Amino acid sequence: GHGARADGSLFEGTVRAADATTLLRFATGIGQDASENAKPLGKMSILNFGGNCAESRWNMLANLYPFAEWIVASDLNVGGWKLNETEQRGEFVRARQQLDDLHVLLRSAESLASVEDIIKDLIVAREELWQKLYKGTIERQQLAQSLAAFKSSLFQPFRDTLRGAYQGLSPAARGDFQQQVESQNCDVLASASFLDGQVATHSHAISLVQQFELFRAVYSSTRDLLVDWRSKSNGLGFNFLGWQGPPCDLAKALGDGAPPPPGGWHLHCPPAD
């Protein structure tokens, strides 16, 4: 299906985030008393949003990370190919089908691969699609694509460290933080890099960037195929409050107790120049 709200909603936003989490709590038994569901499935191995456009956003992970060991998603639009006559031939279609997520998941599961190896197989298949099958298409269109796999158990530690680092900023630095993240199209790695440059993070054993890279355990993109990587993305973004762009929903990501920058959080798009 298509991407939607990127907040944990399912089926292109038909099932809103609150209902989706209620459904997943019942199905998995996570966050419920045992008496509420006699036969819960337990935590899922993988939630795969890799075929959906721009689902790799903070609010999606914040709502769904308890329910799966891994979450796979892209922070960019997926696909968008404009194929030439050769690329529409039957052999291309058949090769594309073999690299489809469902085929890859089936082959990997039947081989009794570990969950982490299945995740890697998904990423490798997507790289093969980009680097071989549709390389010409991507280069012609300069089409930015990405895919990331997140280790769900590391979301909360990363979130808590990010929030703590922000809490330690001076008022002026909080304003700089908001401006920097918005200038980078709400990229989470950009926020971690900024906070690593502040005194507040020096007490941690590893940097926020390192924590992010452990959490975003597997990542690939078409960056090397493009003349200019304009997306400013690195696998995960804060949710947009604007139409497909900043301002960023930093208040929700940083938590209720986060002090806003001087002048408050940006809630509306700035006027066009």
Side-chain angles (χ1 to χ4, degrees), residues 149-202:
F150 300 94
K151 197 167 185 177
S152 297
S153 62
L154 298 181
F155 173 77
Q156 187 170 335
F158 174 70
R159 181 196 65 190
D160 292 348
T161 306
L162 183 86
R163 288 178 172 181
Y166 175 82
Q167 290 273 2
L169 295 179
S170 67
R174 294 199 297 268
D176 293 340
F177 172 82
Q178 179 169 232
Q179 182 177 356
Q180 172 66 11
V181 176
E182 290 184 350
S183 74
Q184 298 299 310
N185 210 34
C186 303
D187 183 61
V188 172
L189 180 57
S191 75
S193 180
F194 177 91
L195 291 170
D196 275 340
Q198 309 302 307
V199 176
T201 63
H202 290 178

Side-chain angles (χ1 to χ4, degrees), residues 120-134:
K120 292 176 180 177
D121 289 343
L122 284 171
I123 303 289
V124 167
R126 195 66 62 91
E127 288 175 336
E128 187 172 346
L129 181 74
W130 298 334
Q131 298 284 347
K132 296 180 180 179
L133 199 62
Y134 288 153

